Amino acid sequence: MTPHFTLAELTATSHRQFDNTPNEAETANLQRLAEFLEQVKIALGDKPIMINSGFRSKQVNDSVGSRDSSQHRIGAACDFRVPGMTPDAVVRAVIAAGLPFDQIIREFDAWTHISVTNTPDGTPRRQALIIDKAGTRPFA
């Protein structure tokens, strides 16, 4: 898809019993996401981005307990880790870079969720959140 992000890594799942093949529209979203992740990579000083979860078919999404409205379902989001950086530092760097993310979420201080808009012509919300045991709140 891009120099640093493949369709295979953006669709990988440990739930191999389920088909996790994106359709044409989902693949187009994954392409936009991969291109955006290249910008994120640059903003993070060219550090490696390790994808935990990208696209999720309905069965995969249900198996991990996520909502149908998750942007993972349409290929517009991924969760990732950056070796040598805390999720907090990742979120701060992406915000500081002024990148046009739709959402960025520090999740359980273990990984970062990032998304592009659901459609190519959408306006990024630039919504920054924290999700942890205490609930969901704005990133501060």
Side-chain angles (χ1 to χ4, degrees), residues 56 65-67 70-72 79 87-88 91 103-114 125 127-140:
R56 296 183 198 142
S66 189
R67 293 178 291 195
S70 169
Q71 288 178 292
H72 287 272
D79 299 335
D88 192 73
V91 172
Q103 279 189 321
I104 190 164
I105 307 171
R106 186 188 83 195
E107 293 195 41
F108 301 96
D109 210 22
W111 65 86
T112 305
H113 166 100
I114 199 162
R125 293 178 286 175
Q127 184 178 48
L129 302 169
I130 295 171
I131 295 177
D132 57 21
K133 290 182 208 173
T136 302
R137 60 193 179 280
F139 183 89

Side-chain angles (χ1 to χ4, degrees), residues 49-124:
I49 292 177
M50 314 298 290
I51 306 296
N52 298 345
S53 178
F55 172 74
R56 296 183 198 142
S57 67
K58 174 143 177 61
Q59 288 180 307
V60 170
N61 200 57
D62 290 350
S63 72
V64 300
S66 189
R67 293 178 291 195
D68 281 340
S69 60
S70 169
Q71 288 178 292
H72 287 272
R73 284 282 299 111
I74 61 170
C78 73
D79 299 335
F80 66 96
R81 295 178 331 276
V82 178
M85 289 185 80
T86 65
D88 192 73
V90 169
V91 172
R92 290 187 190 288
V94 170
I95 291 170
L99 296 180
F101 59 87
D102 191 54
Q103 279 189 321
I104 190 164
I105 307 171
R106 186 188 83 195
E107 293 195 41
F108 301 96
D109 210 22
W111 65 86
T112 305
H113 166 100
I114 199 162
S115 66
V116 294
T117 58
N118 290 354
T119 60
D121 59 349
T123 301

Side-chain angles (χ1 to χ4, degrees), residues 11 19-23 26 55 57:
T11 59
D19 181 24
N20 201 45
T21 306
N23 65 29
E26 294 158 348
F55 172 74
S57 67

